[in-house]
Structures are given as C-alpha cells and as structure tokens.
Amino acid sequence: MIRHGFIRLSGAQRLGLVVLLALMLFATLESLFGEHDGVRQTLQNRFALPGGEHLLGTDQFGRSMVARMAAAVRLSFILSLSCVLTSAVIGTGFGVWAAWRGGWVDHGLNFLVNTILALPGLVLVLLCAALVPGSFFMLYFAIAMTLWVEYFRIVRATVLSIINGPQIQSSTMLGFGRWYLFRRHIWPSIRHDVFTLAAFGAATSVLTMASVGFVYVGLKPPASELGLMIVELFPYYADAPWALAQPLVALFMMVLGFNLLAGKSS
C-alpha cells in the first residue's frame, strides 16, 4: 500500500517527502552522533567549528548544535503534526455538519468562522502566546484554532455541492446510515483537499512557531526551537555564520518539504 501510494505521487511530492523523511531521520537518530545534551554549556568550546568532536559545531554557549538542531526539528514536527491533526478533525467535522444539517448549525458555525477570520491568524497566536509565555500547549492551541477555519470553508462548500446529488439520495433511500454516506460519497470528494490543506497547514504551523520565536513571545531559552535559535545566533552572524545558517536551512527545508508535498498527485 505504501509503495502504491508513493508511485501515485508526483515528482515534486516525492522530493518533498524525501526531504521531510531525511529531516525526521536526523531528528530521531541524533543519538547516533553521540551528542545527546543540547542544554549543557561548555564555554571554553563556544563556536567550535563543525567536525571532529562536534559534528555541527557548537553555539555561543558551547552547546552541541547537533543535539539542539535535532531537538528543534523534533519540536517543529510534533507541533505541526499535532496542529494539523486537531484542525483537520475539527474543521472537517464542522464543515460536514454545517452542510449536512443546515439551519442554525450552519449559521452559527459561519458566524464563528467569520469572527475568527476578522483577526489575523498571527496576531491571534501572538495574543494567546502572550497570555502564557513559554507554553508549548498554548502555541499548539492557538495555531490549531487558526487553521481549522480553512478546512471548514473548503469542506462545507464541497459537501454542499454533493449533499443533494443523486448518489447520496439513492443511498439514503436504500436506508444506509450517515457514516456509510460519509465514507462512500463525501470523504472521496474532500480527501484530496483535506490532504492538501494538511500539508500547507503543517508548513504554516512551523513558520508561525518560528515567527513567534523571533519576537521572544514563544518558547523560552534554553528550549531548542528554530525561530528562537535564529534570534539567539543572529548577533554572532559575523563570528559564526555556519551556526546561524543551520536553523535557517532546517526551517527552509521543512517549509519547502511540506509545500512540495501539497502539490497535485500524478
């Protein structure tokens, strides 16, 4: 099944998947490099060059860049996958419910979505993050709450166009339940859009967490987070440009991988 799914991907999607898998391998197999502690400071080894004892060098406090980069990539994957799963379930469920039920349910959910859209997503995340500084859960909650509205709008529009179609009407007259109708007629119609939104949503989650880290509202030191690492290393860009380049490249590769994966299948 996995091989069949890989074959159906376009060339760009395969490239995106390979990039993401490479980052996942790096993040999970970091222990093989023998550098486990990304918090322990060794000031006499500050800005050690890559190679030898430290494969990717050390930062301004002599901390292992391999351990910190692996922890930061893991954190980004955990946050993006958690946000995507939560927002996809909520947005898809509410979208189907609103289109299927109509009436006050549809009006109420549309009002809620329009209210959330009235405030820019990044501003909403900044406000939530400022309420509980340094909280990973608050970042996850805020990002997921800004992502689900896109699923709702796309899914609701698609389901509205097929809900009164002859196929669903026929299945309803034959006595099939709503779960069967969803699995047989609705999910195949919205599946591609949901997967595309999920890939874009993952890239948005990674960028949003990094953006919040840029302004010191997100996670706090000594946490390993890509945006926070970029801010901490930026004053030393002339002394150790290779150290600053590492979180920048990882952020670029993650967003690129998710965006490529969101492309159209062949």
Side-chain angles (χ1 to χ4, degrees):
M1 181 180 294
I2 295 177
R3 181 184 177 187
H4 181 66
F6 186 78
I7 292 175
R8 293 184 59 185
L9 297 177
S10 66
Q13 286 178 309
R14 293 178 190 176
L15 177 60
L17 185 60
V18 169
V19 169
L20 293 174
L21 288 176
L23 287 170
M24 282 185 182
L25 284 176
F26 167 73
T28 54
L29 301 180
E30 160 249 343
S31 59
L32 296 179
F33 300 111
E35 301 177 51
H36 313 289
D37 193 350
V39 179
R40 187 167 61 89
Q41 300 182 13
T42 311
L43 294 179
Q44 61 270 27
N45 282 336
R46 65 192 304 266
F47 291 134
L49 290 173
E53 184 179 356
H54 300 286
L55 185 63
L56 295 181
T58 61
D59 65 2
Q60 70 276 24
F61 297 113
R63 298 174 295 193
S64 166
M65 286 298 292
V66 166
R68 291 185 62 76
M69 286 298 301
V73 172
R74 276 199 305 271
L75 187 69
S76 296
F77 271 121
I78 291 172
L79 179 85
S80 59
L81 296 179
S82 301
C83 291
V84 163
L85 182 61
T86 303
S87 58
V89 171
I90 294 175
T92 303
F94 279 175
V96 173
W97 189 30
W100 212 328
R101 185 67 180 271
W104 65 269
V105 173
D106 191 22
H107 292 306
L109 289 173
N110 268 303
F111 177 78
L112 176 61
V113 166
N114 289 329
T115 303
I116 294 175
L117 289 176
L119 197 62
L122 183 57
V123 174
L124 185 61
V125 174
L126 285 171
L127 288 174
C128 292
L131 290 176
V132 188
S135 170
F136 176 83
F137 177 79
M138 187 57 75
L139 276 179
Y140 149 75
F141 173 78
I143 295 173
M145 288 303 101
T146 61
L147 289 179
W148 75 270
V149 295
E150 293 300 328
Y151 293 90
F152 172 83
R153 297 171 70 187
I154 298 294
V155 169
R156 175 181 173 275
T158 304
V159 175
L160 278 176
S161 65
I162 65 173
I163 197 69
N164 294 317
Q167 293 180 334
I168 292 184
Q169 292 298 321
S170 299
S171 296
T172 304
M173 292 175 66
L174 290 173
F176 289 107
R178 292 200 167 187
W179 173 244
Y180 174 84
L181 298 180
F182 174 80
R183 185 166 50 86
R184 182 69 177 81
H185 300 296
I186 294 177
W187 177 245
S189 300
I190 64 176
R191 182 175 54 196
H192 177 73
D193 291 334
V194 170
F195 285 151
T196 301
L197 287 173
F200 280 130
T204 302
S205 301
V206 173
L207 273 180
T208 302
M209 185 168 72
S211 301
V212 173
F214 290 155
V215 292
Y216 270 107
V217 180
L219 301 182
K220 301 298 181 185
S224 299
E225 189 271 312
L226 294 176
L228 185 60
M229 290 175 67
I230 293 171
V231 172
E232 290 180 335
L233 289 167
F234 192 76
Y236 309 100
Y237 70 92
D239 299 322
W242 46 266
L244 176 61
Q246 291 176 34
L248 283 171
V249 170
L251 182 62
F252 169 76
M253 297 298 286
M254 288 194 77
V255 175
L256 177 66
F258 283 123
N259 284 340
L260 290 175
L261 196 59
K264 188 176 181 180
S265 302
S266 59

